[in-house]
Amino acid sequence: MRPKFILIAILFILFAPTIAFAEVTIKAEVDKTSITTDDNITYKLTITSSEKKIPEPQLPEFKGFYVLTQAQSSNISFAKSNIKTTLVYAYVLAPKDVGKFEIGPSTIKIQGKTYSSDTFEIEVKQGKTKPQAPPEQEPSQTESEEPQFTL
């Protein structure tokens, strides 16, 4: 009976780092929680997993804010026989109005388990300017013109 216990203990010690590495983390952060109508905030979501391919997260609606720009980056690293994938989503948000707004949690489902980030309350005070919708980007002429071919 004792040799089985020793064998199980040795296997646990050898594979414990692999089990710990399989964790998923999801972290959201904002650079400010109090702004004026003249300011923008940056919402950043970082997801880390031992999965090679991480599914798309469910992002909050950003009620009370316009999304000015967004970016995504990914990084895959290998250490011993483990894989670590990190995805980062970044959004620059401009306020639509004055008041208190909640940015809800982002969620992701990996291997049947749902992970959630924090919720943030952002207070927007009146600045020198009133909030305005960002201008619509017009397609450039090269995008709207028909391609021309010469034979």
Coordinates of all heavy atoms in Angstrom, one line a residue, residues 18-108:
T18 N 1.8 21.5 -14.3 CA 1.0 21.4 -15.5 C -0.5 21.7 -15.2 O -1.2 22.5 -15.9 CB 1.0 20.0 -16.2 OG1 2.4 19.8 -16.4 CG2 0.3 20.0 -17.5
I19 N -0.9 21.2 -14.0 CA -2.3 21.5 -13.6 C -2.5 23.0 -13.3 O -3.4 23.6 -13.7 CB -2.7 20.6 -12.4 CG1 -2.7 19.1 -12.8 CG2 -4.0 21.0 -11.8 CD1 -2.7 18.1 -11.6
A20 N -1.5 23.5 -12.6 CA -1.6 24.9 -12.2 C -1.5 25.8 -13.5 O -2.2 26.9 -13.5 CB -0.5 25.3 -11.3
F21 N -0.8 25.4 -14.5 CA -0.6 26.2 -15.7 C -1.9 26.2 -16.5 O -2.1 27.1 -17.3 CB 0.5 25.6 -16.5 CG 0.9 26.5 -17.7 CD1 1.7 27.6 -17.4 CD2 0.5 26.2 -18.9 CE1 2.1 28.4 -18.5 CE2 0.9 27.1 -20.0 CZ 1.7 28.1 -19.7
A22 N -2.8 25.3 -16.3 CA -4.0 25.2 -17.1 C -5.0 26.2 -16.7 O -6.1 26.2 -17.3 CB -4.6 23.8 -17.0
E23 N -4.7 27.1 -15.8 CA -5.7 28.1 -15.3 C -6.0 29.1 -16.4 O -5.1 29.4 -17.3 CB -5.2 28.8 -14.1 CG -5.2 27.9 -12.8 CD -4.8 28.7 -11.6 OE1 -5.1 29.9 -11.5 OE2 -4.2 28.1 -10.7
V24 N -7.1 29.7 -16.3 CA -7.5 30.8 -17.2 C -7.7 32.0 -16.4 O -8.3 32.0 -15.3 CB -8.9 30.4 -17.9 CG1 -9.4 31.6 -18.7 CG2 -8.7 29.2 -18.8
T25 N -7.2 33.1 -16.8 CA -7.4 34.4 -16.1 C -8.0 35.4 -17.1 O -7.7 35.4 -18.3 CB -6.1 35.0 -15.6 OG1 -5.2 35.2 -16.6 CG2 -5.5 34.0 -14.5
I26 N -8.9 36.2 -16.6 CA -9.5 37.3 -17.4 C -9.4 38.5 -16.5 O -9.9 38.5 -15.4 CB -10.9 36.9 -17.9 CG1 -11.5 38.1 -18.7 CG2 -11.8 36.5 -16.7 CD1 -12.8 37.7 -19.4
K27 N -8.8 39.6 -17.0 CA -8.7 40.8 -16.3 C -9.1 42.0 -17.1 O -8.5 42.2 -18.2 CB -7.2 40.9 -15.8 CG -7.0 42.2 -15.0 CD -5.5 42.3 -14.6 CE -5.3 43.6 -13.9 NZ -3.9 43.9 -13.6
A28 N -10.0 42.8 -16.6 CA -10.4 44.0 -17.3 C -9.9 45.2 -16.4 O -9.8 45.1 -15.2 CB -11.9 44.1 -17.5
E29 N -9.5 46.3 -17.1 CA -9.1 47.5 -16.4 C -9.4 48.7 -17.2 O -9.5 48.7 -18.4 CB -7.6 47.4 -16.0 CG -6.7 47.2 -17.2 CD -5.2 46.9 -16.8 OE1 -4.7 47.6 -15.9 OE2 -4.7 46.0 -17.4
V30 N -9.7 49.8 -16.5 CA -9.9 51.1 -17.1 C -8.8 52.0 -16.5 O -8.4 51.9 -15.4 CB -11.3 51.7 -16.9 CG1 -12.3 50.9 -17.6 CG2 -11.6 51.8 -15.4
D31 N -8.4 53.0 -17.4 CA -7.3 53.9 -16.9 C -7.9 55.0 -16.0 O -7.1 55.6 -15.2 CB -6.6 54.5 -18.1 CG -7.4 55.3 -19.0 OD1 -8.6 55.2 -19.0 OD2 -6.8 56.1 -19.8
K32 N -9.2 55.3 -16.0 CA -9.8 56.3 -15.2 C -11.2 55.9 -14.8 O -11.9 55.3 -15.6 CB -9.9 57.7 -15.9 CG -8.6 58.2 -16.4 CD -8.8 59.4 -17.2 CE -7.8 59.5 -18.3 NZ -8.1 60.3 -19.4
T33 N -11.7 56.3 -13.6 CA -13.1 56.0 -13.2 C -13.8 57.3 -13.1 O -15.0 57.3 -12.8 CB -13.1 55.2 -11.9 OG1 -12.4 55.9 -10.9 CG2 -12.6 53.8 -12.1
S34 N -13.2 58.5 -13.2 CA -13.8 59.8 -13.2 C -13.2 60.6 -14.3 O -12.0 60.8 -14.3 CB -13.6 60.4 -11.8 OG -14.3 61.6 -11.8
I35 N -14.1 61.1 -15.2 CA -13.7 61.9 -16.3 C -14.6 63.0 -16.6 O -15.7 63.1 -16.0 CB -13.5 61.0 -17.6 CG1 -14.9 60.4 -18.1 CG2 -12.5 59.9 -17.5 CD1 -14.9 59.8 -19.4
T36 N -14.2 63.9 -17.5 CA -15.1 65.0 -17.9 C -15.5 64.6 -19.4 O -15.0 63.7 -20.0 CB -14.5 66.4 -17.9 OG1 -13.5 66.4 -18.9 CG2 -13.9 66.7 -16.5
T37 N -16.5 65.4 -19.9 CA -16.9 65.2 -21.3 C -15.8 65.5 -22.3 O -15.9 65.2 -23.5 CB -18.1 66.1 -21.6 OG1 -17.8 67.4 -21.3 CG2 -19.3 65.6 -20.8
D38 N -14.7 66.1 -21.8 CA -13.6 66.4 -22.7 C -12.6 65.2 -22.8 O -11.7 65.2 -23.6 CB -12.8 67.6 -22.2 CG -13.6 68.8 -22.1 OD1 -14.5 69.0 -22.9 OD2 -13.4 69.6 -21.1
D39 N -12.7 64.2 -21.9 CA -11.8 63.1 -21.8 C -12.3 61.8 -22.5 O -13.5 61.7 -22.8 CB -11.5 62.8 -20.3 CG -10.9 63.9 -19.6 OD1 -10.1 64.7 -20.1 OD2 -11.2 64.0 -18.3
N40 N -11.3 60.9 -22.6 CA -11.6 59.6 -23.1 C -11.1 58.6 -22.0 O -10.3 59.0 -21.2 CB -10.9 59.3 -24.4 CG -11.4 60.1 -25.5 OD1 -12.5 60.5 -25.6 ND2 -10.5 60.5 -26.4
I41 N -11.6 57.4 -22.0 CA -11.0 56.3 -21.2 C -10.6 55.2 -22.0 O -11.1 55.0 -23.1 CB -12.0 55.9 -20.1 CG1 -13.2 55.2 -20.7 CG2 -12.4 57.0 -19.1 CD1 -14.1 54.4 -19.7
T42 N -9.7 54.4 -21.5 CA -9.2 53.2 -22.2 C -9.7 52.0 -21.4 O -9.4 51.9 -20.2 CB -7.7 53.2 -22.3 OG1 -7.3 54.4 -23.1 CG2 -7.2 52.0 -23.1
Y43 N -10.4 51.1 -22.0 CA -10.8 49.8 -21.4 C -9.9 48.7 -22.0 O -9.8 48.6 -23.2 CB -12.3 49.5 -21.8 CG -12.8 48.2 -21.3 CD1 -13.3 48.1 -20.0 CD2 -12.8 47.1 -22.1 CE1 -13.8 46.8 -19.6 CE2 -13.2 45.9 -21.7 CZ -13.8 45.7 -20.4 OH -14.2 44.5 -20.0
K44 N -9.3 48.0 -21.1 CA -8.3 46.9 -21.6 C -8.7 45.6 -21.0 O -8.9 45.5 -19.8 CB -6.9 47.3 -21.2 CG -5.8 46.4 -21.7 CD -4.5 46.9 -21.3 CE -3.5 45.8 -20.9 NZ -2.2 46.4 -20.5
L45 N -8.9 44.6 -21.8 CA -9.2 43.3 -21.4 C -8.1 42.3 -21.8 O -7.7 42.3 -22.9 CB -10.5 42.8 -22.1 CG -11.0 41.4 -21.8 CD1 -11.4 41.3 -20.3 CD2 -12.1 41.0 -22.7
T46 N -7.6 41.6 -20.8 CA -6.5 40.6 -21.0 C -6.9 39.2 -20.6 O -7.4 39.1 -19.5 CB -5.2 41.0 -20.1 OG1 -4.9 42.4 -20.4 CG2 -4.1 40.1 -20.4
I47 N -6.8 38.3 -21.5 CA -7.2 36.9 -21.2 C -6.0 36.1 -21.4 O -5.3 36.1 -22.4 CB -8.3 36.5 -22.2 CG1 -9.5 37.4 -22.1 CG2 -8.7 35.0 -22.0 CD1 -10.5 37.2 -23.2
T48 N -5.7 35.2 -20.4 CA -4.5 34.3 -20.5 C -5.0 32.9 -20.3 O -5.8 32.6 -19.4 CB -3.5 34.6 -19.4 OG1 -3.1 36.0 -19.6 CG2 -2.3 33.8 -19.5
S49 N -4.6 31.9 -21.1 CA -5.0 30.6 -21.0 C -3.9 29.6 -21.6 O -3.0 30.0 -22.3 CB -6.3 30.4 -21.8 OG -6.7 29.0 -21.9
S50 N -4.0 28.4 -21.2 CA -3.1 27.4 -21.7 C -3.7 26.8 -23.0 O -3.1 25.9 -23.6 CB -2.8 26.3 -20.7 OG -4.0 25.6 -20.3
E51 N -4.9 27.2 -23.4 CA -5.5 26.8 -24.7 C -4.7 27.4 -25.9 O -4.3 28.6 -25.8 CB -6.9 27.2 -24.8 CG -7.8 26.6 -23.7 CD -8.0 25.1 -23.9 OE1 -8.4 24.7 -25.1 OE2 -7.9 24.3 -23.0
K52 N -4.5 26.7 -26.9 CA -3.9 27.2 -28.1 C -4.8 28.3 -28.8 O -4.3 29.3 -29.2 CB -3.6 26.1 -29.2 CG -2.5 25.2 -28.8 CD -2.3 24.2 -29.9 CE -1.4 23.1 -29.5 NZ -1.2 22.0 -30.5
K53 N -6.0 28.0 -28.8 CA -7.0 29.0 -29.4 C -8.0 29.4 -28.4 O -8.7 28.5 -27.9 CB -7.7 28.3 -30.6 CG -8.5 29.3 -31.4 CD -9.0 28.7 -32.7 CE -9.9 29.7 -33.4 NZ -9.7 29.7 -34.8
I54 N -8.1 30.7 -28.1 CA -9.0 31.2 -27.1 C -10.2 31.7 -27.9 O -10.1 32.5 -28.9 CB -8.4 32.3 -26.3 CG1 -7.2 31.8 -25.5 CG2 -9.4 32.9 -25.4 CD1 -6.4 32.9 -24.8
P55 N -11.4 31.3 -27.5 CA -12.6 31.8 -28.2 C -12.8 33.3 -27.9 O -12.2 33.9 -27.0 CB -13.8 31.0 -27.6 CG -13.2 30.6 -26.3 CD -11.8 30.4 -26.4
E56 N -13.6 34.0 -28.8 CA -13.9 35.4 -28.6 C -14.6 35.6 -27.3 O -15.6 34.9 -27.0 CB -14.7 35.9 -29.8 CG -14.0 36.0 -31.1 CD -13.0 37.1 -31.2 OE1 -13.3 38.2 -30.7 OE2 -11.9 36.9 -31.7
P57 N -14.2 36.7 -26.6 CA -15.0 37.0 -25.3 C -16.3 37.7 -25.6 O -16.4 38.3 -26.7 CB -14.0 37.9 -24.6 CG -13.2 38.5 -25.7 CD -13.1 37.5 -26.8
Q58 N -17.2 37.6 -24.7 CA -18.4 38.4 -24.7 C -18.1 39.8 -24.1 O -17.9 39.8 -22.8 CB -19.5 37.7 -24.1 CG -20.9 38.4 -24.1 CD -21.4 38.5 -25.5 OE1 -21.4 37.6 -26.3 NE2 -22.0 39.7 -25.8
L59 N -18.0 40.8 -24.8 CA -17.7 42.1 -24.3 C -18.9 42.9 -23.7 O -20.0 42.6 -24.2 CB -17.0 43.0 -25.3 CG -15.7 42.4 -25.8 CD1 -15.3 43.1 -27.1 CD2 -14.6 42.7 -24.7
P60 N -18.7 43.8 -22.8 CA -19.9 44.6 -22.3 C -20.4 45.5 -23.4 O -19.7 45.7 -24.4 CB -19.3 45.4 -21.2 CG -17.9 45.4 -21.4 CD -17.5 44.2 -22.1
E61 N -21.5 46.1 -23.2 CA -22.1 47.0 -24.2 C -21.5 48.4 -24.3 O -21.8 49.2 -25.2 CB -23.6 47.1 -24.0 CG -24.4 45.8 -24.4 CD -25.9 46.0 -24.2 OE1 -26.4 47.0 -24.6 OE2 -26.5 45.0 -23.8
F62 N -20.8 48.8 -23.3 CA -20.2 50.2 -23.2 C -21.3 51.2 -23.2 O -21.2 52.2 -23.9 CB -19.1 50.4 -24.2 CG -18.0 49.5 -24.2 CD1 -17.6 48.7 -25.3 CD2 -17.2 49.3 -23.0 CE1 -16.5 47.9 -25.3 CE2 -16.1 48.5 -23.0 CZ -15.8 47.7 -24.1
K63 N -22.4 51.0 -22.5 CA -23.5 51.9 -22.5 C -23.0 53.3 -21.9 O -22.3 53.3 -21.0 CB -24.7 51.4 -21.6 CG -25.4 50.3 -22.2 CD -26.6 49.8 -21.4 CE -27.3 48.7 -22.0 NZ -28.4 48.2 -21.2
G64 N -23.4 54.3 -22.6 CA -23.0 55.7 -22.2 C -21.7 56.1 -22.9 O -21.2 57.2 -22.6
F65 N -21.1 55.3 -23.7 CA -19.9 55.6 -24.4 C -19.9 55.3 -25.9 O -20.5 54.3 -26.3 CB -18.7 54.8 -23.7 CG -18.5 55.2 -22.3 CD1 -19.1 54.4 -21.3 CD2 -17.7 56.3 -21.9 CE1 -18.9 54.7 -20.0 CE2 -17.5 56.6 -20.6 CZ -18.2 55.8 -19.6
Y66 N -19.1 56.1 -26.6 CA -18.9 55.8 -28.0 C -17.5 55.0 -28.0 O -16.6 55.4 -27.3 CB -18.7 57.0 -28.8 CG -19.9 57.9 -28.9 CD1 -19.9 59.1 -28.2 CD2 -21.0 57.6 -29.7 CE1 -21.0 60.0 -28.3 CE2 -22.1 58.4 -29.7 CZ -22.1 59.6 -29.1 OH -23.2 60.4 -29.1
V67 N -17.4 54.0 -28.9 CA -16.1 53.4 -29.1 C -15.4 54.1 -30.2 O -15.9 54.1 -31.4 CB -16.3 51.9 -29.5 CG1 -15.0 51.2 -29.8 CG2 -17.0 51.1 -28.4
L68 N -14.3 54.8 -29.9 CA -13.6 55.6 -30.8 C -12.6 54.7 -31.6 O -12.6 54.8 -32.8 CB -12.8 56.7 -30.1 CG -13.6 57.8 -29.4 CD1 -12.7 58.8 -28.7 CD2 -14.6 58.5 -30.4
T69 N -11.9 53.9 -30.9 CA -10.9 53.0 -31.6 C -10.9 51.7 -30.8 O -11.2 51.6 -29.6 CB -9.5 53.6 -31.7 OG1 -9.0 53.8 -30.4 CG2 -9.4 54.8 -32.5
Q70 N -10.4 50.6 -31.5 CA -10.3 49.4 -30.8 C -9.0 48.7 -31.4 O -8.7 48.9 -32.6 CB -11.5 48.5 -30.9 CG -11.9 48.1 -32.3 CD -13.2 47.4 -32.4 OE1 -14.2 47.9 -31.8 NE2 -13.3 46.2 -33.0
A71 N -8.4 47.9 -30.6 CA -7.2 47.1 -31.1 C -7.2 45.8 -30.4 O -7.8 45.6 -29.3 CB -5.9 47.9 -30.7
Q72 N -6.5 44.8 -31.0 CA -6.4 43.5 -30.4 C -5.0 43.0 -30.7 O -4.4 43.2 -31.8 CB -7.4 42.5 -31.1 CG -7.3 41.1 -30.6 CD -8.2 40.1 -31.3 OE1 -9.2 40.6 -32.0 NE2 -8.0 38.9 -31.2
S73 N -4.4 42.3 -29.7 CA -3.1 41.7 -29.9 C -3.1 40.3 -29.3 O -3.9 40.0 -28.4 CB -2.0 42.6 -29.3 OG -2.1 42.5 -27.9
S74 N -2.2 39.5 -29.8 CA -2.1 38.1 -29.2 C -0.7 37.7 -29.1 O 0.2 38.2 -29.8 CB -2.9 37.1 -30.1 OG -2.3 37.1 -31.4
N75 N -0.4 36.9 -28.1 CA 0.9 36.4 -27.9 C 0.8 34.9 -27.5 O 0.0 34.6 -26.6 CB 1.6 37.2 -26.8 CG 3.0 36.8 -26.5 OD1 3.7 36.4 -27.4 ND2 3.4 36.8 -25.2
I76 N 1.6 34.1 -28.1 CA 1.7 32.7 -27.7 C 3.1 32.4 -27.3 O 4.0 32.7 -28.0 CB 1.3 31.7 -28.8 CG1 -0.2 32.0 -29.3 CG2 1.4 30.3 -28.4 CD1 -0.6 31.3 -30.5
S77 N 3.3 31.8 -26.1 CA 4.6 31.5 -25.6 C 4.7 30.0 -25.2 O 3.7 29.4 -24.8 CB 5.0 32.4 -24.4 OG 4.2 32.2 -23.4
F78 N 5.8 29.4 -25.4 CA 6.1 28.0 -25.1 C 7.1 27.9 -24.0 O 8.2 28.6 -24.1 CB 6.6 27.3 -26.3 CG 5.6 27.3 -27.4 CD1 5.7 28.3 -28.4 CD2 4.6 26.4 -27.6 CE1 4.9 28.4 -29.5 CE2 3.7 26.5 -28.6 CZ 3.9 27.5 -29.6
A79 N 6.8 27.2 -22.9 CA 7.8 27.0 -21.8 C 7.7 25.5 -21.4 O 6.6 25.0 -21.0 CB 7.4 27.8 -20.6
K80 N 8.8 24.8 -21.6 CA 8.8 23.3 -21.4 C 7.8 22.7 -22.3 O 7.8 22.8 -23.3 CB 8.7 23.0 -19.9 CG 9.9 23.6 -19.2 CD 9.9 23.1 -17.8 CE 11.1 23.7 -17.1 NZ 11.2 23.4 -15.7
S81 N 6.9 22.1 -22.0 CA 5.9 21.5 -22.9 C 4.5 22.2 -22.8 O 3.5 21.7 -23.2 CB 5.7 20.0 -22.8 OG 5.3 19.8 -21.4
N82 N 4.6 23.4 -22.1 CA 3.3 24.2 -21.9 C 3.2 25.3 -22.9 O 4.1 25.9 -23.3 CB 3.3 24.7 -20.5 CG 3.3 23.6 -19.4 OD1 2.6 22.6 -19.6 ND2 4.1 23.7 -18.4
I83 N 1.9 25.6 -23.2 CA 1.6 26.7 -24.1 C 0.9 27.8 -23.2 O 0.0 27.4 -22.4 CB 0.7 26.3 -25.2 CG1 1.5 25.3 -26.1 CG2 0.2 27.5 -26.0 CD1 0.6 24.7 -27.2
K84 N 1.2 29.0 -23.4 CA 0.5 30.1 -22.8 C 0.1 31.1 -23.8 O 0.9 31.7 -24.5 CB 1.4 30.8 -21.7 CG 0.7 31.9 -21.0 CD 1.7 32.5 -20.0 CE 1.1 33.7 -19.3 NZ 2.1 34.4 -18.4
T85 N -1.2 31.3 -24.0 CA -1.8 32.2 -24.9 C -2.4 33.4 -24.2 O -3.1 33.3 -23.2 CB -2.9 31.6 -25.8 OG1 -2.4 30.4 -26.4 CG2 -3.4 32.5 -26.9
T86 N -2.0 34.6 -24.7 CA -2.5 35.9 -24.1 C -3.2 36.7 -25.2 O -2.5 36.9 -26.2 CB -1.4 36.7 -23.4 OG1 -0.8 35.8 -22.4 CG2 -1.9 37.9 -22.8
L87 N -4.4 37.1 -25.0 CA -5.1 38.0 -25.9 C -5.4 39.3 -25.1 O -5.8 39.3 -24.0 CB -6.4 37.4 -26.3 CG -6.4 36.2 -27.3 CD1 -7.9 35.8 -27.6 CD2 -5.7 36.6 -28.6
V88 N -5.1 40.4 -25.8 CA -5.4 41.7 -25.2 C -6.3 42.5 -26.2 O -6.0 42.6 -27.4 CB -4.1 42.5 -25.0 CG1 -4.4 43.9 -24.4 CG2 -3.2 41.7 -24.0
Y89 N -7.4 43.0 -25.6 CA -8.3 43.8 -26.4 C -8.3 45.2 -25.7 O -8.4 45.3 -24.5 CB -9.8 43.3 -26.3 CG -9.9 41.9 -26.9 CD1 -9.7 40.8 -26.1 CD2 -10.4 41.8 -28.2 CE1 -9.8 39.5 -26.7 CE2 -10.5 40.5 -28.7 CZ -10.3 39.4 -27.9 OH -10.4 38.1 -28.5
A90 N -8.2 46.3 -26.5 CA -8.2 47.6 -26.0 C -9.2 48.5 -26.7 O -9.3 48.4 -27.9 CB -6.8 48.2 -26.1
Y91 N -9.9 49.3 -26.0 CA -10.9 50.2 -26.5 C -10.8 51.6 -26.0 O -10.6 51.7 -24.7 CB -12.3 49.7 -26.2 CG -12.7 48.3 -26.8 CD1 -12.3 47.1 -26.2 CD2 -13.3 48.2 -28.0 CE1 -12.5 45.9 -26.7 CE2 -13.6 47.0 -28.6 CZ -13.2 45.9 -27.9 OH -13.4 44.6 -28.5
V92 N -10.8 52.6 -26.8 CA -10.8 53.9 -26.4 C -12.2 54.4 -26.5 O -12.9 54.3 -27.5 CB -9.9 54.8 -27.2 CG1 -10.0 56.3 -26.8 CG2 -8.4 54.4 -27.1
L93 N -12.8 54.9 -25.3 CA -14.2 55.2 -25.2 C -14.3 56.7 -24.9 O -13.6 57.3 -24.1 CB -14.8 54.4 -24.1 CG -14.6 52.9 -24.1 CD1 -15.1 52.3 -22.8 CD2 -15.3 52.3 -25.3
A94 N -15.3 57.3 -25.6 CA -15.7 58.7 -25.3 C -17.1 58.8 -24.7 O -18.0 58.0 -25.1 CB -15.6 59.5 -26.6
P95 N -17.3 59.6 -23.7 CA -18.6 59.7 -23.1 C -19.7 60.2 -24.0 O -19.4 61.1 -24.8 CB -18.4 60.6 -21.9 CG -17.2 61.4 -22.2 CD -16.4 60.6 -23.1
K96 N -20.9 59.7 -23.9 CA -22.1 60.2 -24.7 C -22.8 61.3 -23.9 O -23.4 62.1 -24.5 CB -23.1 59.1 -25.0 CG -22.6 58.0 -25.9 CD -23.7 57.0 -26.2 CE -23.3 56.0 -27.2 NZ -24.3 54.9 -27.4
D97 N -22.7 61.2 -22.6 CA -23.5 62.2 -21.8 C -22.8 62.3 -20.4 O -21.9 61.6 -20.1 CB -24.9 61.6 -21.6 CG -25.9 62.7 -21.3 OD1 -25.5 63.9 -21.1 OD2 -27.1 62.4 -21.3
V98 N -23.3 63.2 -19.6 CA -22.9 63.4 -18.2 C -23.7 62.4 -17.3 O -24.9 62.1 -17.6 CB -23.2 64.8 -17.8 CG1 -22.9 65.0 -16.3 CG2 -22.4 65.8 -18.6
G99 N -23.0 61.8 -16.3 CA -23.7 60.9 -15.4 C -22.8 59.8 -14.9 O -21.6 59.8 -15.2
K100 N -23.4 58.8 -14.2 CA -22.6 57.6 -13.8 C -23.0 56.5 -14.7 O -24.2 56.2 -14.9 CB -22.9 57.3 -12.4 CG -22.3 58.3 -11.4 CD -22.5 57.8 -10.0 CE -21.8 58.8 -9.0 NZ -21.8 58.4 -7.7
F101 N -22.0 55.8 -15.3 CA -22.3 54.7 -16.2 C -21.5 53.5 -15.7 O -20.4 53.6 -15.2 CB -21.8 55.1 -17.6 CG -22.5 56.3 -18.1 CD1 -21.9 57.5 -18.0 CD2 -23.8 56.2 -18.7 CE1 -22.5 58.7 -18.5 CE2 -24.4 57.3 -19.2 CZ -23.8 58.6 -19.1
E102 N -22.1 52.3 -15.9 CA -21.5 51.1 -15.5 C -21.0 50.3 -16.8 O -21.8 50.2 -17.7 CB -22.5 50.2 -14.7 CG -21.9 48.9 -14.3 CD -22.9 48.1 -13.4 OE1 -23.0 48.4 -12.2 OE2 -23.5 47.1 -14.0
I103 N -19.8 49.9 -16.7 CA -19.3 49.0 -17.8 C -19.3 47.6 -17.1 O -18.6 47.4 -16.2 CB -17.8 49.4 -18.2 CG1 -17.9 50.8 -18.8 CG2 -17.3 48.4 -19.2 CD1 -16.5 51.3 -19.2
G104 N -20.1 46.8 -17.7 CA -20.3 45.4 -17.1 C -19.1 44.5 -17.3 O -18.2 44.9 -18.0
P105 N -19.2 43.3 -16.8 CA -18.1 42.4 -17.0 C -18.0 41.8 -18.4 O -19.0 41.7 -19.1 CB -18.4 41.3 -16.0 CG -19.9 41.3 -15.9 CD -20.3 42.7 -16.1
S106 N -16.8 41.5 -18.8 CA -16.6 40.7 -20.0 C -16.6 39.3 -19.5 O -16.1 39.0 -18.4 CB -15.2 41.1 -20.6 OG -15.3 42.4 -21.2
T107 N -17.0 38.4 -20.4 CA -17.0 37.0 -20.0 C -16.4 36.1 -21.2 O -16.4 36.5 -22.3 CB -18.4 36.4 -19.7 OG1 -19.3 36.6 -20.9 CG2 -19.0 37.2 -18.5
I108 N -15.9 35.0 -20.8 CA -15.4 34.0 -21.8 C -15.7 32.6 -21.3 O -15.6 32.4 -20.1 CB -13.9 34.2 -22.1 CG1 -13.5 33.4 -23.3 CG2 -13.1 33.9 -20.9 CD1 -12.2 33.9 -23.9

